[in-house]
Amino acid sequence: AQSVTQLGSHVSVSEGALVLLRCNYSSSVPPYLFWYVQYPNQGLQLLLKYTSAATLVKGINGFEAEFKKSETSFHLTKPSAHMSDAAEYFCAVSDLGGNQFYFGTGTSLTVIP
Amino acid sequence: GAGVSQTPSNKVTEKGKYVELRCDPISGHTALYWYRQSLGQGPEFLIYFQGTGAADDSGLPNDRFFAVRPEGSVSTLKIQRTERGDSAVYLCASSLGPPNSGNTIYFGEGSWLTVV
């Protein structure tokens, strides 16, 4: 089974600063990778996904993530944080042999004005 | 419908009671999933349907939990003899095809279950 590790359960950045949320996965075979965002009292919304095309993936709201096979990582970044980015972010993985998506425990992003 | 729809959005029930949670997936999506999310945690897999059949029910915690999808569209998650530990948000999701093909899963807003 896959496992997904999100380092840092809470991240705080100043408005306008770089956002970096970390995600590492366990599979030796490149999987499919996703980032989801969850605003308070709402469902999960897809930010972006990697499916073996370009390693740098651009998503909604200015977010992007880079797949690095050698590091088994798929970190999420945004050059300049907005107040509206405050939310919970989840990294997820699915693979060729699986029947499910595996989620990390999430990173709560706080943006300080 | 336009998105995954879940009802009820909130449910408070007494310990020991039976509960049903309903999910209406995106039209045309053959794959349907149930996840459970506790406070401060990521979604935890419960069950995956491909069409009418449960392709993987390995995440159901015990035999008090059961789910059906009789016509390959709407699904119902059934919880018998509820316990306080069952309190969580139950998330339904759907995708156009199976998860091992890179399909995106789309989530509903969840059913918040509180067992008192």
Side-chain angles (χ1 to χ4, degrees):
Chain A
Q2 286 273 5
S3 69
V4 180
T5 303
Q6 291 185 241
L7 285 176
S9 58
H10 297 276
V11 170
S12 293
V13 300
S14 297
E15 191 174 14
L18 172 72
V19 175
L20 171 60
L21 305 181
R22 299 178 186 275
C23 173
N24 289 86
Y25 61 91
S26 64
S27 175
S28 59
V29 176
Y32 304 112
L33 296 153
F34 305 79
W35 275 98
Y36 284 84
V37 61
Q38 187 175 34
Y39 298 102
N41 300 320
Q42 294 188 24
L44 282 82
Q45 177 184 357
L46 179 71
L47 271 179
L48 50 80
K49 72 175 186 180
Y50 167 78
T51 56
S52 76
T55 56
L56 182 63
V57 182
K58 294 188 184 298
I60 62 171
N61 302 337
F63 284 93
E64 61 183 37
E66 186 173 8
F67 170 67
K68 291 187 176 180
K69 182 180 176 182
S70 60
E71 299 178 5
T72 60
S73 70
F74 190 57
H75 302 330
L76 182 71
T77 60
K78 181 173 180 177
S80 176
H82 293 176
M83 296 298 295
S84 60
D85 294 328
E88 189 85 16
Y89 291 81
F90 293 95
C91 182
V93 171
S94 67
D95 60 34
L96 292 175
N99 288 325
Q100 59 174 283
F101 291 74
Y102 301 85
F103 284 84
T105 53
T107 298
S108 177
L109 177 65
T110 300
V111 182
I112 303 165
Chain B
V4 178
S5 177
Q6 293 188 245
T7 55
S9 54
N10 284 283
K11 176 72 176 178
V12 180
T13 191
E14 292 181 347
K15 179 175 176 295
K17 297 290 188 183
Y18 170 80
V19 165
E20 287 191 354
L21 307 175
R22 175 190 165 105
C23 173
D24 197 346
I26 294 172
S27 179
H29 280 197
T30 61
L32 184 145
Y33 314 78
W34 283 99
Y35 280 79
R36 178 168 70 175
Q37 187 177 19
S38 301
L39 196 62
Q41 299 295 317
E44 172 193 15
F45 172 77
L46 296 177
I47 187 168
Y48 155 60
F49 288 90
Q50 183 60 44
T52 59
D56 186 344
D57 65 358
S58 61
L60 295 176
N62 51 59
D63 62 5
R64 295 187 298 106
F65 288 75
F66 190 71
V68 295
R69 194 186 186 201
E71 297 178 0
S73 179
V74 171
S75 175
T76 305
L77 178 66
K78 308 180 181 195
I79 311 174
Q80 298 178 320
R81 305 182 303 280
T82 52
E83 300 177 356
R84 292 195 178 89
D86 298 335
S87 297
V89 180
Y90 289 82
L91 298 170
C92 180
S94 69
S95 62
L96 195 57
N100 55 11
S101 301
N103 288 289
T104 300
I105 58 170
Y106 298 89
F107 283 87
E109 296 202 349
S111 291
W112 293 69
L113 175 66
T114 304
V115 182
V116 297

